[in-house]
């Protein structure tokens, strides 16, 4: 349910849900936003205590979530506001999922026990769409953990484009690419349905419609891109992501790239490979279905054929002038290909062997 973010409406929500103690999980930048003041005002008017939790980092670690759970329990919280990019929202979602588990055991190893703590999600980047998904990504002992449970899909969402105004240029570009890759990967996923495809197609159209205004930080562009990332989130909530996201995680940690930037570099090499290897399709609906999916995707991109759609994507990427990572030594290729989660590759429509993954990573490093 989308909320307006007006103090009066927030106060009503806090009252209706009987909130007595609210945990606001947010990054430092959120405190400069007008909405931050409105949330404090609404909590006070509703007679609820509000505790802030910001002790986490981008691409958050499990240990940060544990600290958040401790605060949640110490303050007897009963409502969570998750305001920030994917990192803040994912920390908040994990706090909700973990707070009623056994504190003496590792939360990641325990079976989730559903609880009704409401989450109000407020994205401040137009990228992850985490406000619309049942997933949360955190890092444990340096490895990505994808936590998933239907109960962490936020019940309430505020989409306020003004929040995007302060985004630094690189974050602006990278987060938008994350949203676009979600939509593309969802469209060709083996789990795609008519419904998920319609969300994915809508998100792709929105990204291309609003990209210029968004990159110029115009209000209409920010609004359109926020909608696009939310719609793309709805698409991956059905399908999950595919090889683009499976391949990107190690690139972010090894070369310090933002998540969406890394995903976009992977999609850039995957898309032509898929178009040339439709015979290696592993989607049970078969090669003809997959071929048709790529052709439909070209139409969604307003292109005459598959090749033209790939060109349109590459042109867009080139205009963003993002850096290409430099490989330090050949051993990194081994690390990269071993980092790819084989389970996630099962969502990908074309078979990717270890050798293929190595070649694809090699292409990412090639400057052309
Ligand atoms: P982020 O949340 O990591 O934020 C990146 C940086 O931008 C931070 O320093 C943050 O404080 C700052 N920032 C955020 N909004 C800002 C604003 N409006 N103005 C100024 N600074 C701002 O970035 P992200 O790309 O939104 O999230 C990435 C995380 O989300 C990764 O951990 C990724 O794995 C995860 N993710 C989750 C899902 C999901 O469904 N749960 C999907 C994709 C990605």
């Amino acid at each position: 349910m989308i909320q307006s973010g007006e103090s009066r409406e927030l106060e009503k929500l806090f009252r209706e849900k009987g909130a007595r103690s609210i945990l606001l999980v947010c990054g430092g930048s959120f405190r400069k936003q007008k909405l931050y003041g409105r949330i404090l005002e609404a909590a006070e008017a509703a007679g609820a205590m509000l505790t802030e939790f910001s002790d986490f980092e981008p691409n958050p670690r499990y240990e940060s979530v544990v600290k958040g759970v401790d605060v949640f329990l110490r303050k007897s919280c009963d409502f969570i506001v998750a305001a920030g990019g994917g990192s803040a929202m994912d920390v908040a979602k994990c706090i909700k999922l973990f707070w009623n588990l056994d504190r003496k055991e590792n939360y990641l190893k325990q079976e989730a026990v559903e609880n009704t703590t409401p989450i109000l999600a407020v994205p401040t980047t137009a990228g992850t769409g985490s406000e619309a998904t049942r997933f949360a990504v955190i890092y444990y002992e340096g490895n990505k953990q994808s936590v998933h449970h239907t109960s962490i899909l936020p019940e309430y969402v505020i989409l306020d484009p003004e929040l995007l105004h302060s985004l630094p240029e690189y974050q602006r570009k990278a987060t938008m690419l994350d949203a676009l890759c979600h939509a593309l990967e969802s469209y060709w996923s083996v789990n795609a349905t008519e419904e998920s495809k319609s969300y994915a197609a809508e998100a792709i159209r929105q990204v291309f419609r609003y990209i210029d205004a968004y990159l110029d930080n115009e209000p209409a562009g920010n609004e359109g891109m926020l909608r696009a990332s939310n719609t793309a989130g709805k698409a991956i909530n059905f399908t999950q992501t595919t090889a683009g996201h499976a391949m990107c995680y190690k690139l972010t940690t090894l070369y310090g790239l933002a998540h969406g930037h890394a995903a976009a570099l992977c999609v850039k090499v995957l898309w032509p490979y898929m178009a040339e290897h439709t015979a290696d399709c592993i989607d049970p609906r078969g090669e003809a279905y997959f071929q048709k999916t790529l052709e439909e995707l070209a139409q969604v991109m307003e292109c005459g054929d598959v090749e033209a759609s790939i060109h349109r994507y590459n042109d867009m990427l080139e205009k963003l002038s993002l850096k290409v990572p430099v490989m330090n030594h050949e051993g990194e290729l081994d690390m990269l290909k071993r980092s790819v989660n084989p389970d996630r590759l099962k969502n990908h429509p074309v078979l990717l062997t270890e050798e293929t993954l190595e070649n694809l990573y090699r292409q990412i490093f090639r400057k052309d």
Side-chain angles (χ1 to χ4, degrees):
M1 193 189 292
I2 307 270
Q3 306 289 304
S4 72
E6 292 302 323
S7 299
R8 210 87 73 68
E9 197 190 6
L10 291 174
E11 179 192 340
K12 192 164 160 250
L13 175 66
F14 294 152
R15 282 187 189 281
E16 270 172 14
K17 300 309 281 185
R20 307 302 313 148
S21 177
I22 299 166
L23 184 69
L24 170 61
V25 181
C26 67
S29 64
F30 186 67
R31 295 202 180 87
K32 297 186 198 118
Q33 305 280 5
K34 283 188 205 141
L35 184 57
Y36 169 71
R38 294 207 293 271
I39 291 171
L40 298 194
E41 205 177 284
E44 197 182 341
M49 187 170 84
L50 187 138
T51 306
E52 292 175 31
F53 179 71
S54 301
D55 195 3
F56 59 88
E57 52 295 306
N59 304 314
R61 289 174 309 117
Y62 169 78
E63 291 74 13
S64 306
V65 174
V66 172
K67 280 192 239 166
V69 172
D70 290 346
V71 175
F72 182 98
L73 292 170
R74 206 166 51 243
K75 298 286 181 176
S76 305
C77 294
D78 51 17
F79 195 107
I80 299 175
V81 179
S87 298
M89 288 191 282
D90 287 0
V91 167
K93 287 160 85 174
C94 288
I95 292 173
K96 160 161 177 160
L97 196 63
F98 296 163
W99 76 258
N100 59 339
L101 301 183
D102 184 350
R103 287 177 84 186
K104 293 189 275 320
E105 301 284 329
N106 185 317
Y107 296 126
L108 290 167
K109 300 204 165 91
Q110 298 179 53
E111 188 85 27
V113 180
E114 202 161 326
N115 67 65
T116 55
T117 307
I119 301 184
L120 166 65
V122 186
T124 64
T125 62
T128 69
S130 177
E131 75 282 2
T133 76
R134 64 194 147 90
F135 314 116
V137 180
I138 55 171
Y139 285 79
Y140 182 63
E141 294 180 341
N143 295 318
K144 181 201 161 204
Q145 303 288 319
S146 192
V147 175
H148 54 94
H149 198 270
T150 47
S151 71
I152 59 171
L153 176 69
E155 259 176 284
Y156 306 99
V157 177
I158 295 173
L159 293 183
D160 178 356
E162 217 183 288
L163 298 172
L164 269 53
H165 192 77
S166 55
L167 270 175
E169 189 187 343
Y170 179 58
Q171 287 301 334
R172 176 171 291 276
K173 291 176 180 174
T175 47
M176 171 200 74
L177 290 172
D178 192 22
L180 178 59
C181 291
H182 284 162
L184 293 169
E185 292 183 44
S186 178
Y187 200 89
W188 61 50
S189 164
V190 303
N191 303 320
T193 61
E194 284 310 310
E195 193 175 1
S196 71
K197 276 180 156 179
S198 82
Y199 280 126
E202 178 59 12
I204 293 164
R205 289 192 196 99
Q206 286 169 325
V207 168
F208 283 101
R209 191 178 312 139
Y210 291 106
I211 187 167
D212 292 335
Y214 167 79
L215 292 174
D216 287 341
N217 203 0
E218 289 172 15
N222 287 340
E223 183 172 355
M225 204 55 78
L226 200 52
R227 293 260 164 214
S229 76
N230 183 262
T231 313
K234 287 178 179 157
I236 55 161
N237 196 39
F238 279 92
T239 59
Q240 299 181 291
T241 48
T242 63
H245 271 69
M247 288 175 67
C248 80
Y249 280 93
K250 204 70 187 173
L251 283 175
T252 64
T253 48
L254 272 182
Y255 306 101
L257 305 182
H259 170 75
H261 177 187
L265 293 175
C266 296
V267 165
K268 182 182 175 201
V269 295
L270 279 163
W271 200 343
Y273 182 85
M274 289 156 62
E276 284 158 22
H277 294 83
T278 55
D280 295 339
C281 170
I282 56 167
D283 190 313
R285 291 166 285 197
E287 185 185 359
Y289 163 83
F290 175 53
Q291 182 70 48
K292 191 161 156 273
T293 295
L294 292 181
E295 283 158 15
E296 284 167 4
L297 186 53
Q299 283 170 21
V300 171
M301 304 259 301
E302 295 175 357
C303 295
D305 57 28
V306 177
E307 208 183 317
S309 61
I310 295 171
H311 273 298
R312 185 163 190 212
Y313 175 82
N314 289 345
D315 283 351
M316 177 274 310
L317 208 50
E318 206 165 303
K319 281 195 195 124
L320 296 179
S321 309
L322 296 173
K323 72 168 185 181
V324 176
V326 178
M327 185 170 64
N328 302 305
H329 56 85
E330 285 280 313
E332 287 172 358
L333 278 176
D334 206 45
M335 259 190 261
L336 286 164
K337 75 178 182 215
R338 277 191 287 111
S339 72
V340 180
N341 178 346
D343 265 349
R344 194 47 55 87
L345 290 185
K346 289 183 193 148
N347 301 337
H348 194 74
V350 167
L351 180 72
L352 299 172
T353 62
E354 278 210 8
E355 195 188 344
T356 309
L357 287 173
E358 182 170 326
N359 285 333
L360 290 170
Y361 276 121
R362 238 180 239 289
Q363 284 178 40
I364 288 175
F365 296 111
R366 197 182 302 144
K367 291 190 183 176
D368 45 20

